[in-house]
Amino acid sequence: MNEKILIVDDEKEIADLIEVYLKNDGYTVLKCDNGTDALRCIQSERLDLVILDVMLPDMNGFRICQKIREQYFYPVIMLTARVEDGDKIMGLTIGADDYITKPFNPLEVTARVKTQLRRYSCYNRAANAEEKDVPVTEYDVRGLVINKSTHKCTLYGEEISLTPIEFSILWYLCERRGRVISSEELFEQVWGEKFLNNNNTVMAHIGRLREKLKEPAKKPKFIKTVWGVGYTIE
């Protein structure tokens, strides 16, 4: 693993913490604590990913992200203490690939780095070799990895024990990521039987899945409920 990652953050403790975890995973790490130095580094180094703080002393991270997207396609992960939806939408609109809010778990950051690098690598291989018809056997959703070939599921590198039904539900949702799937569709596709309106089987299994994924009840990160419609993984 020789990927080179640039961390742009004026909070030294945070930059140093991320650096330790990334280096432990074998990445080469560069650090800048201001936008001017970051832009110089972006021009002079061959980078594979940038972790970019929004609030910097001389310019904001949105401007740097725009500069990156003028020339490069590698992943950009925005890092910020601000939680406003407008900031998140702005970052994603101008070309950021992911958005992490402080405080954070360093293991989640490294998991998202791996996700973005894997996705970027896979897209490049598909484009170069025209392998778009190759069936997908693995999905990585912000550190939640599910593999159909090995029938294994991991969360931030830690394996999760799923029953065959739980695995099938999670795979079906990941396979249709971004779509809202009704309880009726989930039940009929996973169980292969006709759904009845008073059937709470899907809800119960979703509840157990969320427990295994350590999902907070009010704000789940992975399996989200769209009330009156169904479930989705974004």
Side-chain angles (χ1 to χ4, degrees), residues 24-231:
N24 284 342
D25 279 343
Y27 297 108
T28 299
V29 178
L30 303 174
K31 293 185 296 182
C32 294
D33 60 6
N34 63 80
T36 303
D37 288 344
L39 290 175
R40 290 197 191 102
C41 184
I42 288 163
Q43 292 297 328
S44 62
E45 297 284 346
R46 189 200 66 79
L47 301 173
D48 296 287
L49 182 143
V50 174
I51 298 174
L52 180 59
D53 189 20
V54 170
M55 302 299 292
L56 295 168
D58 54 346
M59 67 181 73
N60 67 47
F62 298 136
R63 181 180 173 189
I64 298 172
C65 184
Q66 287 177 311
K67 289 291 185 181
I68 291 172
R69 284 293 172 255
E70 288 175 3
Q71 292 182 269
Y72 306 106
F73 297 98
Y74 51 69
V76 175
I77 299 176
M78 305 296 287
L79 188 67
T80 182
R82 299 172 63 170
V83 297
E84 290 86 353
D85 286 341
D87 285 347
K88 182 175 181 179
I89 293 169
M90 171 68 78
L92 297 175
T93 299
I94 64 177
D97 298 275
D98 203 351
Y99 204 99
I100 300 176
T101 304
K102 302 175 185 177
F104 53 80
N105 182 336
L107 291 175
E108 181 179 353
V109 176
T110 56
R112 293 199 187 198
V113 165
K114 291 175 183 176
T115 296
Q116 293 300 331
L117 288 173
R118 185 183 298 117
R119 186 174 296 152
Y120 182 59
S121 176
C122 287
Y123 284 168
N124 283 345
R125 284 201 303 269
N128 293 335
E130 297 183 353
E131 296 175 344
K132 295 182 181 179
D133 292 332
V134 176
V136 176
T137 59
E138 181 177 283
Y139 290 99
D140 189 331
V141 183
R142 302 185 301 280
L144 172 64
V145 180
I146 183 169
N147 189 298
K148 196 172 186 179
S149 298
T150 61
H151 217 268
K152 288 184 179 180
C153 179
T154 60
L155 180 62
Y156 308 140
E158 181 179 346
E159 187 169 346
I160 300 171
S161 178
L162 299 181
T163 67
I165 289 292
E166 290 166 349
F167 186 94
S168 296
I169 291 172
L170 188 58
W171 179 264
Y172 194 83
L173 291 173
C174 287
E175 200 172 30
R176 291 152 183 81
R177 183 177 176 185
R179 278 183 51 197
V180 180
I181 307 299
S182 67
S183 295
E184 178 180 358
E185 180 179 344
L186 262 178
F187 186 84
E188 293 183 354
Q189 291 296 324
V190 173
W191 278 266
E193 300 175 10
K194 185 67 177 175
F195 179 81
L196 301 175
N197 288 334
N198 61 351
N199 193 330
N200 294 321
T201 303
V202 172
M203 184 186 299
H205 278 79
I206 292 289
R208 283 195 289 271
L209 258 176
R210 284 175 171 159
E211 288 179 9
K212 292 184 177 183
L213 297 177
K214 302 176 183 177
E215 293 261 59
K218 292 185 178 180
K219 292 187 69 176
K221 293 177 63 177
F222 298 107
I223 303 175
K224 299 186 178 182
T225 301
V226 180
W227 295 108
V229 184
Y231 303 96

Side-chain angles (χ1 to χ4, degrees), residues 13-32:
E13 296 81 4
I14 290 178
D16 289 348
L17 178 63
I18 299 174
E19 178 186 25
V20 168
Y21 277 81
L22 291 177
K23 283 189 171 180
N24 284 342
D25 279 343
Y27 297 108
T28 299
V29 178
L30 303 174
K31 293 185 296 182
C32 294

